[in-house]
């Protein structure tokens, strides 16, 4: 019986009162994970002076609230608004700024590190980076992939929203107490709980892992687990799956009383 990794308390890696907080749920600081990092950023005021950078890692940004402006190339820019994602290929020289308050999830593959971010000095001449590429950001519109009575799951990246089979990332909202069927997914899952609480049951429900707001958990592929949301206050969480989520890849077990069995159409649209 495999228990999941221990619950990871998110680590505030950047705290500038009234300006910016970045909480890392997975990555080099919080979990010593070099494969993937995931942070929750809260931008409290306009931030237009951020440096240019040319990371060696790929980045996925999920804009939950507000908007971000991504400059790249020769005087090019895209604006990424609430409910959109932006994919930044490794080696893409970019500057990410915020015209006003914003909230986002940032995922890096492999994990973020200052050494591989390659920030440039303010006001310096643009640097040529050996690992630099002539690539551009890709903006993605999120898609509601689950719209059940008690749950919505909005996919920012994945097979449905961005035709990406390698990684999926959603923002999921649970309105009240409910639970999933037992499942043994074919994908690994990195989870961030932003609000409320998530219970993960194992071993026929005799063991429960409690993941509170501000914490994360990693679930290995093939781990048998049941997701339960016990609180009337609901839950907001971010599941990141590699390879990308598919309904078949969930490998759910038929069960009475789960949201999916109560309304099979919620899965049919996936």
């Amino acid at each position: 019986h495999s228990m999941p990794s221990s619950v990871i308390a998110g680590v505030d890696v950047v705290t500038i009162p009234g300006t910016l907080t970045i909480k890392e749920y997975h990555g080099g600081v919080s979990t010593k994970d070099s494969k993937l990092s995931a942070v929750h950023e809260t931008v409290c005021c306009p931030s237009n002076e951020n440096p240019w950078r040319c990371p060696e890692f790929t980045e996925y940004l999920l804009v939950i609230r507000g908007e971000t402006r991504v400059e790249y190339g020769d005087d090019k820019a895209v604006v990424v608004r609430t409910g959109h994602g932006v994919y930044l290929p490794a080696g893409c020289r970019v500057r990410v700024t915020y015209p006003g308050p914003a909230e986002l999830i940032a995922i890096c593959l492999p994990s973020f590190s200052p050494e591989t971010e390659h920030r440039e000095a303010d006001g310096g001449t643009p640097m040529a980076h050996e690992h630099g590429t002539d690539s551009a950001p890709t903006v993605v519109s999120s898609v509601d992939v689950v719209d059940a009575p008690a749950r919505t799951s909005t996919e920012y990246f994945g097979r449905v929203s961005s035709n990406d089979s390698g990684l999926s990332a959603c923002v999921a909202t649970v309105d009240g107490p409910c639970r999933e069927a037992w499942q043994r997914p074919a994908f690994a899952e990195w989870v961030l709980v932003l609000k409320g609480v998530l219970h993960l049951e194992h071993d026929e429900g005799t063991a429960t892992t409690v993941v509170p707001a501000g914490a994360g958990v990693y679930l290995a592929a093939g781990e048998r687990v049941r997701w339960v949301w016990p609180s009337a206050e609901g839950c907001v969480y971010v599941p990141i799956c590699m390879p990308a989520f598919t309904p078949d890849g969930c490998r759910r077990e038929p069960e009475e009383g789960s949201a999916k069995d109560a309304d099979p159409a919620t899965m049919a649209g996936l």
Side-chain angles (χ1 to χ4, degrees):
H1 296 297
S2 63
M3 287 290 288
S5 319
S6 51
V7 175
I8 305 129
V11 176
D12 289 331
V13 288
V14 175
T15 306
I16 306 170
T19 303
L20 173 69
T21 59
I22 302 178
K23 184 184 287 283
E24 185 187 276
Y25 286 74
H26 300 275
V29 178
S30 55
T31 57
K32 308 292 185 275
D33 186 347
S34 59
K35 185 172 182 178
L36 176 147
S37 63
V39 300
H40 179 216
E41 297 191 28
T42 306
V43 181
C44 304
C45 61
S47 176
N48 297 311
E49 303 302 316
N50 293 342
W52 284 88
R53 43 205 278 279
C54 187
E56 292 178 46
F57 43 79
T58 299
E59 270 186 291
Y60 299 79
L61 303 181
L62 293 65
V63 181
I64 300 174
R65 178 171 56 86
E67 64 182 45
T68 179
R69 178 181 161 90
V70 182
E71 298 170 57
Y72 67 101
D74 297 325
D75 296 328
K76 296 182 189 139
V78 292
V79 174
V80 189
R81 297 187 167 86
T82 304
H84 291 74
V86 61
Y87 168 80
L88 307 176
C92 182
R93 182 174 176 269
V94 292
R95 188 162 86 120
V96 180
T97 58
Y98 303 95
E103 181 184 356
L104 64 152
I105 301 294
I107 302 161
C108 301
L109 278 181
S111 293
F112 173 92
S113 85
E115 292 75 30
T116 55
E117 185 186 27
H118 299 286
R119 276 184 179 231
E120 300 177 13
D122 291 340
T125 51
M127 291 169 60
H129 299 272
E130 284 182 12
H131 63 280
T133 58
D134 194 18
S135 53
T138 302
V139 177
V140 176
S141 298
S142 66
V143 177
D144 285 345
V145 289
V146 175
D147 193 358
R151 285 183 59 206
T152 54
S153 185
T154 304
E155 184 183 277
Y156 283 74
F157 298 97
R159 290 174 183 268
V160 179
S161 58
S162 61
N163 202 25
D164 188 336
S165 60
L167 176 144
S168 63
C170 295
V171 177
T173 303
V174 176
D175 294 332
C178 63
R179 68 179 192 188
E180 275 277 15
W182 285 96
Q183 57 190 48
R184 194 190 297 271
F187 42 77
E189 203 157 0
W190 289 257
V191 183
L192 298 68
V193 178
L194 305 185
K195 183 186 143 206
V197 64
L198 163 67
H199 286 188
L200 295 169
E201 295 184 357
H202 325 272
D203 295 346
E204 304 303 334
T206 57
T208 300
T209 300
V210 177
V211 192
V217 67
Y218 169 76
L219 298 167
E223 192 167 313
R224 185 170 183 266
V225 66
R226 180 162 68 177
W227 295 58
V228 178
W229 298 274
S231 172
E233 294 166 33
C235 182
V236 178
Y237 64 100
V238 178
I240 303 162
C241 305
M242 286 177 61
F245 172 93
T246 62
D248 288 346
C250 256
R251 301 197 294 216
R252 285 192 181 85
E253 301 169 16
E255 182 185 51
E256 295 298 313
S258 80
K260 298 292 179 295
D261 293 337
D263 183 5
T266 58
M267 292 305 284
L270 284 184

